[in-house]
Amino acid sequence: MRSGRLAAIAGATCLAAACGAPAGVAGVSTLPPSPPVGGAPAAAEPSPTGAAGLPQAGDPVRIPPPKLSAYTYTFPVKGCKVSYSRKLLVLPKTTIWAGKGCAFVSPVDGVVREVNLSNQWKPSTDHGKDREGRFVTVKGEDGVLYLGGHLDSVEPGLRPGVRVKAGQRLGRVGNSGNARDTASNLYFAVSWPAPPAYWWVRRGMVPPWTYLDAWDDGNRTLSPRKETLALRKKVGTLPQCSQLCASKPNEPQPKETKPPKKADPDDTRVVVPLNVTPA
């Protein structure tokens, strides 16, 4: 009897203790974790994801453009804000608008081929060979010919045969030639070497804006060599002129007295009609 009553009391005690404990899964505590020594709660581990649940990314890594040729190029106007057309405007060349006096630089290592120091263009005749005014051409190491025209001035000592480096100043942007009534700009053209008598070749055969875009955007190895050689093979080294070829017919000029000497090297002729009495 005594042992049976003790067993009943023990069972009741265990049942009461079980009923008073928090509910949960066997073996897993449902009580809050004990605070660490010192009483301060442990800091939460930082989440590897952002607020939107996406992985956090670091700063982008800039990858240099691929090397597309053995040649290194630079934009032909240096140190100035510019703009230029990216479409065909009668001739396959472009007009790079820039402030007067901005530096025209060689776009690639090469050798100076032609230098024209004299602005001989006149609207009365509009000779094609004179339309670019003062200009410099460079035969690059890539075999391509580059022309910069409408220059205000040419660098002293620059002459055919002088070796130049990419980025070397060849002249200053201006509006000589048939650009005299426009804002200052650089006439920039890409072609291949030809005798001076074939002036229409040097004034532009290959559209240059794709290459200008690349050089300005940091891809300095995009070369016009392949396109230039392919076009030369197609049309020949000395093609006939097909656009803006003829000069204006010679208009009758008034009779004149012997002109006095003038210091301006660009125009040494002063027309004085006979029916006007000189002061």
Side-chain angles (χ1 to χ4, degrees):
M1 271 309 274
R2 182 182 176 90
S3 60
R5 291 182 64 186
L6 291 176
I9 293 171
T13 304
C14 292
L15 181 61
C19 292
V25 180
V28 178
S29 174
T30 59
L31 296 175
S34 300
V37 178
E45 290 294 328
S47 172
T49 60
L54 299 176
Q56 294 290 332
D59 294 334
V61 177
R62 293 185 62 87
I63 300 176
K67 187 173 182 179
L68 301 177
S69 74
Y71 311 103
T72 302
Y73 299 88
T74 191
F75 196 83
V77 177
K78 188 175 182 179
C80 291
K81 183 178 180 180
V82 303
S83 63
Y84 56 97
S85 59
R86 294 173 173 83
K87 60 182 180 180
L88 182 65
L89 298 173
V90 183
L91 297 174
K93 56 86 178 180
T94 196
T95 299
I96 302 178
W97 302 99
K100 188 172 185 178
C102 289
F104 160 54
V105 301
S106 180
V108 69
D109 294 354
V111 178
V112 174
R113 184 174 174 87
E114 288 184 80
V115 177
N116 184 21
L117 300 173
S118 179
N119 182 20
Q120 299 178 357
W121 182 81
K122 292 179 173 59
S124 58
T125 54
D126 190 30
H127 292 316
K129 64 183 180 64
D130 299 330
R131 288 172 187 149
E132 283 69 63
R134 298 182 185 90
F135 69 83
V136 176
T137 65
V138 172
K139 180 184 178 183
E141 289 186 346
D142 55 2
V144 178
L145 189 76
Y146 301 91
L147 178 144
H150 298 329
L151 299 178
D152 183 63
S153 63
V154 175
E155 284 299 288
L158 206 63
R159 62 185 186 277
V162 171
R163 294 197 62 83
V164 293
K165 303 292 290 184
Q168 180 177 333
R169 190 170 66 203
L170 306 179
R172 299 283 187 177
V173 173
N175 59 345
S176 61
N178 65 351
R180 73 175 190 177
D181 296 324
T182 72
S184 56
N185 65 88
L186 178 72
Y187 183 113
F188 185 72
V190 176
S191 62
W192 53 82
Y198 292 81
W199 48 265
W200 53 85
V201 175
R202 75 173 180 232
R203 71 178 180 177
M205 299 296 290
V206 174
W209 44 84
T210 298
Y211 306 101
L212 292 174
D213 287 347
W215 304 341
D216 186 47
D217 197 39
N219 192 333
R220 299 181 60 194
T221 60
L222 183 64
S223 175
R225 174 179 170 82
K226 183 177 180 179
E227 184 179 1
T228 302
L229 294 179
L231 183 60
R232 186 178 68 178
K233 183 177 180 180
K234 179 180 178 180
V235 302
T237 304
L238 303 175
Q240 293 299 311
C241 184
S242 60
Q243 294 284 347
L244 301 180
C245 304
S247 302
K248 291 182 179 179
N250 291 327
E251 299 176 355
Q253 298 294 322
K255 294 182 180 180
E256 57 187 52
T257 59
K258 185 177 180 180
K261 292 183 178 180
K262 191 177 179 182
D264 183 2
D266 291 338
D267 188 3
T268 58
R269 295 172 62 80
V270 176
V271 177
V272 183
L274 289 178
N275 58 353
V276 177
T277 303

